Amino acid sequence: MMTQYDSRPSGPDWRTPDVDALLDAIVRLEDPDEAARFLRDLCTLGELHDLGQRWAVVRLLDQGLHYAEISRLTGASTATITRIASWLNHGEGGYRAMLDALKPAADR
């Protein structure tokens, strides 16, 4: 039986038991090599490319680059960049928390 989930990323049904189980697995990863092995088994190469591209867009947005330059550098469409910018500024706060966590202590 299929369950119909709310299509909004922050809708009430995005945190399903399966998503929570995945999140639990991710936070238990010990190091980048273990994370790489897990994500490579979990995702297709296309999915990994898309995730990497999104993270690159977030980092470039945070640096203040213009959408056209980000598109040129990453290959992401301006529509994708606009969506990512919206989540960076008005999402769940995950992008900002990770950007801040990865900044050198002197820059915080």
Side-chain angles (χ1 to χ4, degrees):
M1 174 174 116
M2 285 192 64
T3 304
Q4 186 161 0
Y5 296 109
D6 188 325
S7 63
R8 295 170 299 155
S10 64
D13 293 336
W14 80 270
R15 289 289 297 266
T16 66
D18 288 337
V19 170
D20 284 343
L22 175 61
L23 296 172
D24 189 49
I26 289 170
V27 299
R28 292 171 189 265
L29 295 168
E30 299 271 335
D31 57 49
D33 288 333
E34 189 174 46
R37 289 192 309 271
F38 178 72
L39 289 175
R40 180 58 191 103
D41 286 349
L42 180 68
C43 300
T44 66
L45 289 176
E47 290 165 337
L48 285 171
H49 172 267
D50 290 348
L51 291 170
Q53 182 186 63
R54 288 179 196 144
W55 186 236
V57 168
V58 169
R59 295 186 334 263
L60 294 170
L61 284 167
D62 190 52
Q63 292 172 22
L65 271 69
H66 187 273
Y67 288 18
E69 180 68 4
I70 294 171
S71 179
R72 187 187 69 73
L73 291 169
T74 65
S77 70
T78 54
T80 295
I81 296 165
T82 300
R83 252 188 334 270
I84 293 169
S86 177
W87 279 104
L88 175 59
N89 296 311
H90 308 290
E92 302 282 336
Y95 282 149
R96 176 59 46 211
M98 190 52 61
L99 287 167
D100 291 348
L102 292 173
K103 283 183 183 175
D107 293 343
R108 289 187 205 159

